[in-house]
Amino acid sequence: MKRIGIMTTGGDCSGLNTVIQRLYRGATLRGWRTIGILDGTDGLCTTPPMVLEFDNDTLPIESARLAGSFLHNGRAGALNFETAAETGKLSQFNKQLRKSLTDLKLDALILIGGNGSLSLAWRNRDIYSDLQLICIPKTIDMDIPLTDKTIGFNTAVQQLTSFCDQLMLTARSHHRWFVVQTMGRDCGQLALNAGIAIGATAILIPEIKFDVNSLIEHIKNFPRDYGIILVSEGISLRGHSGRPADMISRKLTAAKICNRTAYPEHTQRVGDTTAADRILAARMADCALRAIENNETYVMTAIKDCKCETVSLADFFAAGDVTADPNIPDLQTSDAYVSPDDPLLDIATSMGIYLGEIK
Ligand code: F6P
């Protein structure tokens, strides 16, 4: 009987519980035991490790749609790969993790994580050399290379869309604009997708340079006197520091455009998991379990051309390299960011949405 560990690391998002539940059910049907590691790598830093053995009552199907992670994602300030490296304790930290995995007698570990967690898993891969390491990509940022989808993104787009739909009504009543700051780190996918869904007036994303005067002109010439300007948290404006939405709001106020700012913040990471994310979770969980059966290791589940398959962590890591973008001078790009030929850019433009200085 195989023993499978499951761990969620990094920021949470909706869909984690669905994938945990699908993994548990799929493993049980194969006659395997599943052990949930609590609090991400924190759970491996204690002796004995903090774990939860699943049974039929641990995560019933009806609660598998709930946001958050039933296994928790770890406490802020806890020792992790980065803080351990900074304080010169990385080898001690790695030794502890390796010992805990050995003590748990795991045949495989399924790590559900974002870009940072997966990169760290690859960089510190020796820890996992005695078992099979299978990763499942989750993030609302959609910044993971080599996969067209990540768990949690679709729900985040839905949450942001619903938030903006409500704001649009009050914006209309008062003839004013809302500058809404989205999450997403250095990747503009979340803002771009929600912006198209709500019919934003402008979408500012880190991958595309914009000009404040052109933005103001666009708003002033817009056929409506209300709407939403979506600002991705990763944008910057030369000579300004502080929150991007505040910077843009001040510029609009100076140009006599009546506006308010709004911050959906962590509401983008919660909300009942959408059907699309649940289906994605089921596909990725199934792919991860098949990878264990096929004796694979150091792989990540990925969606490519509508198929769910595994890609090697080495390839994932290499594809995440940030380089200069030949199409947009002065900008950096990677396989994980919005690419200049992303079809959604054309759609947004054809909807009359201001996207910045794209030709
Ligand atoms: O990576 C997910 C994410 O939600 C980002 O979009 C955001 O910048 C960050 O995490 C927020 O992190 P925290 O939960 O630490 O505030």
Side-chain angles (χ1 to χ4, degrees):
M1 179 194 278
K2 280 191 194 295
R3 284 170 65 84
I4 312 298
I6 306 175
M7 177 159 95
T8 49
T9 60
D12 67 354
C13 63
S14 197
L16 296 175
N17 289 326
T18 320
V19 73
I20 294 167
Q21 207 270 349
R22 295 327 302 161
L23 285 170
Y24 163 67
R25 287 298 302 154
T28 306
L29 288 170
R30 287 167 170 84
W32 302 345
R33 270 173 80 183
T34 37
I35 291 112
I37 295 164
L38 295 170
D39 275 328
T41 48
D42 274 8
L44 296 175
C45 285
T46 56
T47 310
M50 291 190 291
V51 296
L52 183 102
E53 278 238 21
F54 287 100
D55 60 39
N56 280 333
D57 292 330
T58 340
L59 186 53
I61 190 78
E62 65 277 11
S63 55
R65 66 182 161 78
L66 298 178
S69 168
F70 201 64
L71 295 173
H72 312 293
N73 292 56
R75 286 168 215 280
L79 193 64
N80 57 38
F81 286 109
E82 269 147 353
T83 53
E86 278 159 20
T87 51
K89 291 183 185 147
L90 187 60
S91 76
Q92 201 181 319
F93 180 74
N94 283 357
K95 221 180 268 171
Q96 173 66 55
L97 259 45
R98 203 184 157 103
K99 180 183 177 309
S100 296
L101 292 168
T102 310
D103 291 350
L104 289 171
K105 298 186 173 52
L106 296 181
D107 296 292
L109 175 69
I110 300 182
L111 190 158
I112 309 159
N115 206 344
S117 305
L118 270 49
S119 302
L120 286 166
W122 176 247
R123 284 210 210 110
N124 297 280
R125 55 190 170 280
D126 286 354
I127 299 170
Y128 311 103
S129 59
D130 291 336
L131 47 74
Q132 290 171 261
L133 176 69
I134 316 289
C135 298
I136 296 185
K138 63 84 214 172
T139 172
I140 67 163
D141 303 336
M142 262 288 277
D143 60 352
I144 298 192
L146 299 189
T147 181
D148 296 339
K149 292 181 183 197
T150 59
I151 291 165
F153 176 73
N154 185 269
T155 309
V157 172
Q158 185 56 54
Q159 289 286 106
L160 186 54
T161 299
S162 304
F163 181 88
C164 293
D165 283 347
Q166 299 305 315
L167 283 183
M168 197 72 98
L169 302 176
T170 173
R172 183 168 194 261
S173 295
H174 290 273
H175 307 277
R176 68 185 170 201
W177 302 84
F178 274 92
V179 183
V180 178
Q181 183 173 311
T182 76
M183 283 189 168
R185 292 192 199 270
D186 296 327
C187 179
Q189 284 292 0
L190 181 55
L192 181 60
N193 279 262
I196 289 172
I198 61 159
T201 297
I203 308 171
L204 306 181
I205 59 174
E207 293 88 341
I208 301 175
K209 276 200 277 188
F210 64 94
D211 174 65
V212 176
N213 293 328
S214 308
L215 171 67
I216 290 171
E217 202 181 317
H218 181 81
I219 296 172
K220 286 193 166 164
N221 293 330
F222 207 69
R224 282 190 257 115
D225 62 356
Y226 68 93
I228 289 180
I229 293 120
L230 273 186
V231 173
S232 188
E233 66 179 356
I235 67 154
S236 56
L237 194 55
R238 192 166 298 153
H240 290 266
S241 58
R243 305 182 96 183
D246 288 342
M247 303 187 299
I248 299 295
S249 169
R250 279 198 296 272
K251 293 281 181 188
L252 299 190
T253 304
K256 303 206 173 356
I257 297 172
C258 180
N259 74 91
R260 295 287 186 273
T261 50
Y263 294 88
E265 300 272 16
H266 293 76
T267 62
Q268 293 157 98
R269 297 211 320 217
V270 295
D272 276 4
T273 311
T274 57
D277 263 333
R278 292 187 220 180
I279 294 166
L280 180 63
R283 294 183 74 190
M284 289 210 170
D286 178 65
C287 182
L289 295 170
R290 278 188 286 113
I292 295 174
E293 283 172 332
N294 294 337
N295 283 320
E296 294 178 48
T297 188
Y298 295 122
V299 292
M300 170 185 91
T301 61
I303 301 284
K304 263 287 166 237
D305 302 327
C306 299
K307 286 201 205 102
C308 190
E309 43 200 36
T310 52
V311 295
S312 85
L313 277 187
D315 289 347
F316 145 82
F317 194 72
D321 272 355
V322 177
T323 54
D325 187 326
N327 296 306
I328 310 176
D330 304 333
L331 279 196
Q332 304 246 286
T333 188
S334 99
D335 185 52
Y337 299 167
V338 175
S339 86
D341 53 10
D342 190 314
L344 288 190
L345 296 178
D346 281 346
I347 301 292
T349 308
S350 72
M351 288 170 70
I353 298 174
Y354 176 82
L355 277 179
E357 305 305 298
I358 49 171
K359 304 281 171 268

